[in-house]
Amino acid sequence: MAAHRCSCWSWLLILFSLSVFVVADIHETTPVNDHHGGVDHNAQTAEQTADQPAVEERRWEATEVKEAATVDAAADIQGTSAPETVVPSSVPQPKDDFQEELVIRPLHSGDIYASFQFRTLWDTDFMRENKVSHYRLFPKSLGQVISKFSVRELHISFTQGYWRTMQWGQPFIPSPPGAELWVWFQDSVTDVDATWKELTNVLSGIFCASLNFIDSTNTVQPSASFKPLGLGNVTDHSFLRYATLPREIVCTENLTPWKKLLPCGSKVNVPPFTCAFFFLKKRGTSMPSVSVLSFLLTMFSEQAGLAVLLKSEKLFHSSFHSQAVHIRSVCQDWQCKTTSWELRQTLNSVFDLHNSGQTKREWSLFKMFSRTLTEACPLASSSKLYIDITDNPQGEQFELSPATSLLSQAVVLGDRRTFSVYDLTQETTFGTVRSLNLLIRWKSNEGEMLRPLLHAERYVAGYGLQTGEIHTLMYNNHPYRSFPVLLLDSVPWYLRLYIHTLSVTSKGKDNKPSYIHYEPSKDRVKPHLLEMLIQLPPNSVTEVTVQFERALLKWTEYPPDPNHGFYVGSSVISSLVPSTVAMHTNSTRERPLFSSFFPCKEESSYFVRIYTEPLLVNLPTPDFSMPYNVICLTCTVVAVGYGSLYNLLTRSFQIEEPNPGLAKRIANVIRRMRGVPPL
Amino acid sequence: MQILTLLGLFSACFLANSINIENSAGQFFSSGHTNNWAVLVCTSRFWFNYRHVANTLSVYRSVKRLGIPDSHIVLMLADDMACNHRNPKPATVFSHKNMELNVYGDDVEVDYRGYEVTVENFLRVLTGRLPPSTPRSKRLLSDDRSNILIYLTGHGGNGFLKFQDSEEISNVELADAFEQMWQKRRYNELLFIIDTCQGASMYERFYSPNIMALASSQVGEDSLSHQPDLAIGVHLMDRYTFYMLEFLEDIHPASKTNMNDLFKVCPKSQCVSTPGHRTDLFLRDPGSVLITDFFGSVRKVELTMDAINLTDPIKQMEENPVNGEEQKEVYSYADQLPVSEIIHQKPKQKDWHPPDGFILGLWTLILLVFFKTYGIKHLKHIF
């Protein structure tokens, strides 16, 4: 009992010191808050409330910043959107920077597409001699991975569900079902394969995924696809590795470590607090301390910013879920003479609201995420919520509440889109209730979606368990322009491709690829790799077929559920699709995060990468089940036991005389004539 | 002001208690362990074995609630029930009817999942014989001061436990693994709990010291499942773990409940099977072993009044202004689909090929020899 009390008091002491610390912290932060909404806050809001009804027409974002108007005059002439913020050059820039952003796009199918992007920029050099040891916004676990394995670029994604391009259009950031990992190493790496293997093991620990199943049998080294997305011109493809695990499941255990990488996303779970709380409750200590405690608990367990919306129960109750981490180097300033590291965490979801028992087409942040937004992440330099209202210019399709007067235009994926913008760093966004629960109420169901210019599908044809044929269909829906696509196929070794049957046809005619790279597989060592550069004629379907034979596995190589089938990863189609509007080629310009992922070289076309469905192929599988064993055993017993007994009982046995030689036979004839018994 | 009141109250009580502190200091490290680990394994695949995942996750939830951090828990789940397509509520695993208690939680970390849950990996985790690049989260980094909780559930028989419906671990292998752990000083005390049919057969071969073992059923008995749920369509939990979870939910980090109370969990009237336990290898009296010695990580804290001088302050690294020196190079992004570059890209020569000059020279030699032999005048016979 004494120990019990003692530890209780020790907990109290710790608690007390922490509360003092927290209070001190609050005092430190209050001036910052005052700056935003202190004394003149009331006056400001009063002004704004007076202003709001008067200024009914929508404002464009550019007009917000007075100084920016003149600067962006040139840009406005071209009809492009103005930058979000203009940072005066005299203010010293922080060495690291965090931005968060949520884009919501109502889809024509009635679903809702929500895309989160969190970007951390850091001007540091992970490759220098003395190790980087002080981390602020950048997650330490990933920083150590970058420096230990000399990673130049790392892209990892975990996806559940298949992105339906024909119904949903193009995603901001594409990803194949399952897990995908591609890494560019620095030229200083000597043994790329060993580093790659080690890296996958480490990443499997960081992301709680089975990435350690990536080995030489599913890793390829693309020769033309997957050019680096970051800075640098060195494109020696021997430093590139690419692997997919189409079977990988994605669930809360992958989301938890992903959220922990966010500066505002990690939930600090401190057991001593709950423990101490318990003690206080039990001993009935005075109320003030309990209130301080509960305050402490909320302080430490709450997330801030957009990360509050990331609740696994809601996120995984969706038609499509994809989370990714992209690390690359980007320009630090407009001159692009120095680089900084960019960590981009993205999460894309498509919510099917009809499915979840909704009769009325109505949608709100709370219904979708079971949370509302109350504040921006205090560490973020920008925190914004975009709603795509391109199809709804006059509000005839749906109604948005609370309405925002802030609009923004961005060119994304070859199309100019209009967005309503909610700036979470502004106090007024949250209104008087101090929380933002966005509501969309549909008025009509009409509306045509622009057909995506490029989409693809793939299936397995053939019957039986010996041979088959893989068909890949690529659609060019552009009425009069052809464009090139680069197809990458990585097929596991247990499907033996008959590469001589490879055929590429479009519009009934042979379409000769201008570049073919094929690496045959080696059994149990490496997969097939097929890369082809094909020109897709306008308004056509191009079909790529190749036959294959199914290999027999050794019986220990079958997984525990072989009858489920074996997966073949998605084909990757990279393409330069003609754009209807001029793309921004200036990569250093400040743009919303969702439109700045793929660098753009020319104005007339934009780069897009799409993935086909993964294939599920049945291999000839022995029957591992009990009856098979019983039948085998019984047959053996019958054949060996009963068979030999039957033989013993039914056959008559006699000693066979060996055939005597010729001399002996002659001698016996003579002996018989003589009347002597034969030899 | 409230803080000040709290401070006053606190200091007064502290003085009064200071005498007791010294007396109880001896009890601080009575259990002999300094850290806690847990290895929680579900060995069953397929949706109809939902209850085995729920079993494991409910133990996970309890040990995490009682203070063992995720870094000290090795959680192995052979199948994904939470995000299974048959689960009507994705990202949840329920242990109680009517979806009352979600044992999956919002911040679970599964270390081994799906096909990774094999006998080999399980034994490697226990004995520490893992490949060097295995991440820390997948290792059992215990030492001779560690108390380890090992919980297994799945389908088993007399003397074996099935993994993934395709392989099995025998009780002899398990006993040998524990002996190896003991010899490699990987544990101080070990609590082994198994919820499977004929579970007692799994611990009868143990021979290493300091192991306490519990099982849900005796040899010849089946372990039975508890409540089915109509929405989920399968049984939610096994009886033994269900009542054990009920028991553990009442435990808090300061509980004085001991192992004898755990032995009484789920009598035959509730379990239908007879839970068994084995304590002959264990040196301490089970009545003196707290539940939190294994299920929790209760740190004893000692306060010191002495000031400690940090003589060697950490030196700040001098930041070299890199921007000062002018860099000539301007970086640019790579072209994502350089069509002409790809078309003219030379295919990599894998096999050795003689240099072009050599082949040219060879042909010249052949032609020279030809003309030397036949001369120019014989050409009309050839063509």
Side-chain angles (χ1 to χ4, degrees):
Chain A
M1 194 55 209
H4 169 83
R5 281 162 78 180
C6 164
S7 57
C8 162
W9 284 115
S10 60
W11 283 127
L12 253 177
L13 184 68
I14 293 169
L15 173 78
F16 173 72
S17 54
L18 265 164
S19 63
V20 167
F21 169 71
V22 167
V23 167
D25 226 348
I26 292 161
H27 280 298
E28 268 179 25
T29 51
T30 36
V32 183
N33 288 336
D34 280 349
H35 178 70
H36 284 303
V39 189
D40 53 3
H41 174 70
N42 287 333
Q44 205 180 1
T45 44
E47 246 180 58
Q48 270 158 0
T49 43
D51 272 2
Q52 221 81 33
V55 188
E56 268 299 298
E57 78 272 17
R58 297 166 167 192
R59 282 178 298 150
W60 290 89
E61 248 190 315
T63 56
E64 269 247 300
V65 189
K66 287 271 161 56
E67 308 94 324
T70 48
V71 178
D72 292 322
D76 281 337
I77 289 163
Q78 289 175 354
T80 54
S81 73
E84 323 281 49
T85 49
V86 171
V87 186
S89 55
S90 57
V91 177
Q93 296 243 343
K95 285 202 77 190
D96 49 357
D97 174 67
F98 176 67
Q99 291 181 27
E100 55 180 8
E101 182 180 288
L102 166 62
V103 188
I104 289 170
R105 177 189 282 179
L107 298 170
H108 288 276
S109 55
D111 305 319
I112 297 272
Y113 173 34
S115 170
F116 291 86
Q117 294 217 14
F118 303 91
R119 182 173 75 165
T120 313
L121 283 175
W122 195 16
D123 314 340
T124 190
D125 186 9
F126 287 113
M127 303 303 155
R128 65 170 178 217
E129 287 299 307
N130 44 1
K131 289 275 157 60
V132 180
S133 57
H134 183 68
Y135 288 81
R136 205 176 77 97
L137 296 178
F138 204 89
K140 190 174 183 182
S141 55
L142 288 181
Q144 287 176 333
V145 164
I146 294 172
S147 54
K148 173 148 198 276
F149 298 104
S150 302
V151 171
R152 195 172 128 196
E153 207 165 283
L154 186 148
H155 303 270
I156 186 167
S157 74
F158 299 97
T159 309
Q160 196 173 44
Y162 176 66
W163 182 270
R164 294 164 213 286
T165 314
M166 278 312 274
Q167 291 170 29
W168 300 340
Q170 297 286 357
F172 293 121
I173 290 187
S175 57
E180 183 199 38
L181 174 67
W182 57 286
V183 177
W184 276 90
F185 292 97
Q186 303 275 0
D187 336 352
S188 52
V189 178
T190 46
D191 189 352
V192 180
D193 286 317
T195 318
W196 165 253
K197 182 72 203 138
E198 234 174 281
L199 175 67
T200 54
N201 273 331
V202 169
L203 289 176
S204 84
I206 292 178
F207 292 105
C208 282
S210 313
L211 293 173
N212 47 328
F213 283 130
I214 292 178
D215 53 13
S216 67
T217 59
N218 47 23
T219 302
V220 291
Q221 190 185 314
S223 69
S225 310
F226 293 104
K227 297 279 179 199
L229 284 171
L231 293 174
N233 279 325
V234 190
T235 52
D236 181 359
H237 279 260
S238 60
F239 295 104
L240 168 65
R241 291 293 180 276
Y242 171 81
T244 52
L245 293 174
R247 181 116 204 232
E248 185 69 11
I249 45 173
V250 184
C251 209
T252 312
E253 64 256 29
N254 304 104
L255 187 68
T256 312
W258 185 89
K259 272 200 289 193
K260 280 185 181 171
L261 301 176
L262 292 172
C264 285
S266 54
K267 189 193 264 179
V268 183
N269 203 354
V270 193
F273 283 114
T274 46
C275 167
F277 189 40
F278 164 77
F279 276 120
L280 284 182
K281 246 170 55 183
K282 199 172 183 188
R283 296 187 147 229
T285 328
S286 53
M287 274 311 287
S289 61
V290 175
S291 69
V292 164
L293 255 177
S294 55
F295 165 73
L296 257 176
L297 282 171
T298 50
M299 273 289 292
F300 276 84
S301 64
E302 274 305 309
Q303 303 152 343
L306 293 173
V308 293
L309 303 178
L310 302 172
K311 288 307 205 187
S312 64
E313 280 179 41
K314 289 288 179 182
L315 284 179
F316 289 102
H317 206 163
S318 55
S319 313
F320 177 83
H321 171 91
S322 169
Q323 57 188 69
V325 168
H326 301 275
I327 300 171
R328 59 174 176 172
S329 55
V330 293
C331 294
Q332 196 177 320
D333 45 16
W334 63 274
Q335 284 173 316
C336 211
K337 286 187 174 173
T338 45
T339 63
S340 56
W341 285 90
E342 182 198 71
L343 165 70
R344 200 183 272 250
Q345 287 180 255
T346 65
L347 191 142
N348 295 300
S349 281
V350 175
F351 293 92
D352 182 358
L353 295 182
H354 290 294
N355 227 2
S356 43
Q358 304 253 332
T359 45
K360 244 193 309 180
R361 279 187 80 184
E362 196 179 285
W363 167 89
S364 72
L365 273 188
F366 187 78
K367 271 183 189 158
M368 193 152 78
F369 300 108
S370 73
R371 285 284 185 288
T372 57
L373 288 170
T374 52
E375 56 172 340
C377 169
L379 297 167
S381 65
S382 137
S383 176
K384 280 182 180 150
L385 177 60
Y386 292 86
I387 314 285
D388 193 335
I389 53 159
T390 317
D391 309 320
N392 187 39
Q394 306 302 323
E396 67 269 20
Q397 285 255 328
F398 53 82
E399 188 188 333
L400 209 61
S401 78
T404 179
S405 50
L406 210 56
L407 292 178
S408 158
Q409 269 197 345
V411 176
V412 52
L413 296 165
D415 197 8
R416 183 173 296 119
R417 318 282 308 182
T418 316
F419 297 91
S420 286
V421 186
Y422 294 83
D423 191 345
L424 301 184
T425 49
Q426 303 290 318
E427 290 277 330
T428 51
T429 311
F430 301 105
T432 46
V433 288
R434 305 203 47 75
S435 95
L436 176 65
N437 183 21
L438 206 62
L439 192 83
I440 293 182
R441 213 174 276 118
W442 266 269
K443 291 177 181 164
S444 66
N445 282 345
E446 285 103 63
E448 286 268 303
M449 191 186 69
L450 215 62
R451 274 178 95 194
L453 292 179
L454 170 70
H455 81 275
E457 53 191 48
R458 193 159 71 137
Y459 57 89
V460 177
Y463 54 87
L465 284 176
Q466 197 179 0
T467 56
E469 197 168 33
I470 297 178
H471 288 248
T472 311
L473 301 174
M474 289 177 286
Y475 294 82
N476 177 357
N477 294 329
H478 202 285
Y480 54 87
R481 282 195 62 178
S482 68
F483 53 82
V485 295
L486 184 60
L487 173 77
L488 180 139
D489 248 324
S490 162
V491 181
W493 63 266
Y494 40 77
L495 300 187
R496 300 205 168 108
L497 291 186
Y498 292 162
I499 202 70
H500 67 278
T501 62
L502 177 72
S503 78
V504 185
T505 49
S506 33
K507 289 183 169 172
K509 276 181 282 179
D510 227 24
N511 186 349
K512 193 173 176 295
S514 39
Y515 171 77
I516 296 189
H517 174 81
Y518 174 68
E519 277 179 42
S521 72
K522 261 185 209 162
D523 278 7
R524 296 172 185 85
V525 176
K526 74 176 204 184
H528 302 268
L529 169 67
L530 178 63
E531 277 182 287
M532 286 191 289
L533 186 68
I534 306 167
Q535 190 80 14
L536 298 188
N539 205 2
S540 69
V541 187
T542 304
E543 187 172 21
V544 178
T545 59
V546 63
Q547 290 179 9
F548 65 86
E549 183 193 58
R550 294 163 163 96
L552 274 174
L553 301 187
K554 291 177 184 166
W555 75 275
T556 47
E557 287 169 345
Y558 287 97
D561 50 352
N563 294 310
H564 181 86
F566 292 75
Y567 283 86
V568 179
S570 309
S571 302
V572 189
I573 293 163
S574 322
S575 176
L576 283 176
V577 178
S579 164
T580 49
V581 291
M583 298 295 294
H584 298 309
T585 48
N586 186 359
S587 54
T588 54
R589 235 176 116 212
E590 196 76 30
R591 277 188 286 172
L593 296 182
F594 60 86
S595 66
S596 63
F597 185 63
F598 288 115
C600 196
K601 281 273 175 181
E602 50 191 58
E603 286 192 343
S604 62
S605 60
Y606 63 99
F607 180 78
V608 69
R609 183 173 289 145
I610 61 171
Y611 294 91
T612 65
E613 302 92 335
L615 300 175
L616 186 58
V617 181
N618 272 318
L619 289 192
T621 309
D623 188 358
F624 293 104
S625 55
M626 194 81 141
Y628 174 76
N629 296 333
V630 171
I631 291 167
C632 283
L633 202 69
T634 330
C635 288
T636 318
V637 169
V638 167
V640 177
Y642 175 70
S644 49
L645 196 70
Y646 182 78
N647 257 342
L648 275 174
L649 290 176
T650 52
R651 286 199 182 170
S652 60
F653 293 91
Q654 51 194 24
I655 298 158
E656 198 187 3
E657 288 283 330
N659 209 5
L662 184 68
K664 207 173 187 178
R665 256 187 277 173
I666 295 165
N668 279 348
V669 169
I670 298 164
R671 274 175 165 256
R672 209 177 291 155
M673 285 193 300
R674 282 169 57 200
V676 189
L679 279 171
Chain B
M1 199 59 215
Q2 287 170 355
I3 299 296
L4 276 178
T5 337
L6 179 69
L7 178 67
L9 204 99
F10 174 75
S11 53
C13 297
F14 189 80
L15 282 172
N17 275 290
S18 58
I19 307 145
N20 291 335
I21 290 170
E22 280 164 30
N23 294 342
S24 57
Q27 292 187 9
F28 263 34
F29 303 105
S30 59
S31 63
H33 72 282
T34 57
N35 56 67
N36 282 81
W37 289 80
V39 182
L40 315 173
V41 191
C42 158
T43 64
S44 301
R45 204 175 180 81
F46 306 119
W47 172 249
F48 52 84
N49 292 320
Y50 183 95
R51 60 182 191 279
H52 292 153
V53 174
N55 284 347
T56 316
L57 284 170
S58 60
V59 179
Y60 170 78
R61 173 195 151 85
S62 299
V63 298
K64 203 166 160 182
R65 186 177 59 83
L66 291 172
I68 303 187
D70 262 322
S71 55
H72 281 210
I73 303 175
V74 180
L75 180 60
M76 301 171 114
L77 297 180
D79 205 352
D80 167 45
M81 296 301 166
C83 290
N84 198 303
H85 298 296
R86 296 192 199 183
N87 195 342
K89 272 182 75 87
T92 54
V93 173
F94 290 101
S95 67
H96 281 58
K97 233 193 307 202
N98 304 325
M99 306 192 173
E100 275 160 15
L101 181 63
N102 175 17
V103 288
Y104 200 59
D106 206 29
D107 55 351
V108 65
E109 286 186 21
V110 185
D111 301 305
Y112 286 82
R113 57 180 197 168
Y115 296 144
E116 288 175 275
V117 182
T118 55
V119 173
E120 182 186 338
N121 277 347
F122 175 61
L123 291 179
R124 281 184 185 278
V125 167
L126 290 186
T127 53
R129 295 166 178 252
L130 285 157
S133 59
T134 312
R136 286 179 75 89
S137 64
K138 293 190 168 188
R139 286 170 183 271
L140 180 70
L141 296 166
S142 55
D143 54 30
D144 60 343
R145 289 269 145 242
S146 306
N147 274 11
I148 305 180
L149 166 72
I150 291 176
Y151 176 85
L152 294 173
T153 183
H155 289 285
N158 191 352
F160 69 89
L161 174 71
K162 283 210 295 186
F163 267 69
Q164 300 252 10
D165 214 16
S166 66
E167 51 181 352
E168 50 284 312
I169 185 171
S170 72
N171 50 1
V172 180
E173 284 170 316
L174 196 63
D176 288 342
F178 287 157
E179 175 62 17
Q180 202 179 112
M181 285 173 79
W182 173 250
Q183 289 185 5
K184 289 166 111 176
R185 298 169 146 261
R186 284 174 66 78
Y187 69 84
N188 170 47
E189 283 168 345
L190 198 147
L191 178 65
F192 176 81
I193 302 179
I194 187 160
D195 188 344
T196 173
C197 297
Q198 319 205 26
S201 65
M202 285 304 283
Y203 62 63
E204 61 193 14
R205 298 296 181 96
F206 290 172
Y207 54 96
S208 317
N210 283 350
I211 295 181
M212 195 187 305
L214 287 98
S216 61
S217 54
Q218 298 295 334
V219 179
E221 279 183 341
D222 284 344
S223 283
L224 297 170
S225 55
H226 202 244
Q227 24 174 248
D229 184 272
L230 289 177
I232 295 171
V234 285
H235 286 267
L236 295 186
M237 248 182 138
D238 281 326
R239 277 168 187 270
Y240 180 71
T241 313
F242 179 83
Y243 290 108
M244 191 167 76
L245 174 66
E246 213 166 55
F247 170 77
L248 290 174
E249 285 292 293
D250 291 335
I251 305 280
H252 50 80
S255 294
K256 292 287 150 199
T257 329
N258 59 42
M259 285 296 161
N260 280 336
D261 300 318
L262 184 62
F263 295 156
K264 290 185 200 121
V265 164
C266 201
K268 192 162 184 184
S269 56
Q270 287 177 325
C271 250
V272 183
S273 61
T274 326
H277 56 86
R278 184 176 171 191
T279 53
D280 56 326
L281 296 168
F282 206 72
L283 297 180
R284 286 197 287 158
D285 170 34
S288 71
V289 181
L290 299 179
I291 296 291
T292 50
D293 279 359
F294 288 101
F295 284 92
S297 181
V298 180
R299 295 267 190 277
K300 306 274 167 61
V301 177
E302 205 171 357
L303 296 176
T304 174
M305 292 295 153
D306 303 329
I308 295 166
N309 286 324
L310 295 171
T311 49
D312 190 16
I314 300 156
K315 277 178 197 157
Q316 282 293 323
M317 289 296 297
E318 287 287 317
E319 283 293 335
N320 291 327
V322 190
N323 301 335
E325 55 189 87
E326 193 61 45
Q327 278 193 332
K328 295 109 202 164
E329 199 186 352
V330 174
Y331 295 99
S332 67
Y333 290 99
D335 202 347
Q336 287 303 304
L337 192 64
V339 175
S340 58
E341 196 183 299
I342 291 171
I343 293 173
H344 298 115
Q345 196 169 331
K346 270 194 184 157
K348 245 196 306 182
Q349 288 292 352
K350 273 286 160 68
D351 309 317
W352 182 80
H353 196 259
D356 292 347
F358 176 76
I359 294 167
L360 207 69
L362 200 70
W363 274 110
T364 332
L365 196 74
I366 291 167
L367 286 176
L368 271 176
V369 169
F370 180 83
F371 287 117
K372 192 85 187 158
T373 331
Y374 297 103
I376 207 88
K377 59 185 178 196
H378 291 288
L379 273 183
K380 61 178 187 279
H381 299 294
I382 298 164
F383 297 113

